[in-house]
Amino acid sequence: QVQLVESGGGLVQAGGSLRLSCAASGSIFSINAMAWFRQAPGKQRELVATITRDGTTNYAETVKGRFTISRDDPKNTVTLQMNSLKPEDTAVYYCNANIRRAQGSFLYWGQGTQVTVSA
């Protein structure tokens, strides 16, 4: 069994910062790409940032220059540093990982963590 558990969400004023973390646990051989998604009320889930196993990153245009994704492979974690937050960043943030197990590679999701940015 594999679990992804996010932490670090909360309420912050516009212009502030938050740091989200996601830890994978369970029977894991290795982790391929990892990513953060978000879903605001009434909107579809959207990709925020990705990081490959070799550390290549990609960001949505709306967060470029403000958010930084990183990973710590020995700890099986992915982190999203969010700076200069805006009210439009308010959403539930989900981590996502492509995890290699004995049976093959599978996509897993965390349960989500709420980020609220007040004006």
Side-chain angles (χ1 to χ4, degrees):
Q1 190 74 315
V2 170
Q3 274 192 317
L4 297 183
V5 178
E6 297 112 336
S7 60
L11 173 64
V12 65
Q13 286 188 329
S17 298
L18 281 175
R19 186 177 179 89
L20 305 183
S21 292
C22 174
S25 62
S27 178
I28 297 170
F29 277 9
S30 62
I31 301 178
N32 301 315
M34 306 179 84
W36 287 93
F37 286 73
R38 67 186 181 186
Q39 188 166 19
K43 295 189 177 181
Q44 288 190 329
R45 191 171 296 190
E46 63 175 0
L47 180 63
V48 176
T50 63
I51 185 166
T52 63
R53 185 163 174 77
D54 67 1
T56 301
T57 58
N58 268 296
Y59 298 91
E61 287 297 324
T62 52
V63 307
K64 270 185 184 176
R66 301 187 297 122
F67 291 11
T68 302
I69 188 171
S70 60
R71 60 189 288 166
D72 184 337
D73 287 332
K75 295 182 179 179
N76 289 336
T77 60
V78 61
T79 298
L80 186 68
Q81 177 66 43
M82 306 186 294
N83 299 327
S84 303
L85 283 161
K86 304 175 181 179
E88 51 264 42
D89 293 318
T90 295
V92 178
Y93 283 71
Y94 299 89
C95 70
N96 163 288
N98 186 300
I99 295 176
R100 183 167 168 253
R101 306 182 64 197
Q103 305 92 326
S105 292
F106 304 92
L107 201 59
Y108 292 90
W109 289 89
Q111 82 286 357
T113 186
Q114 177 70 47
V115 171
T116 303
V117 184
S118 62

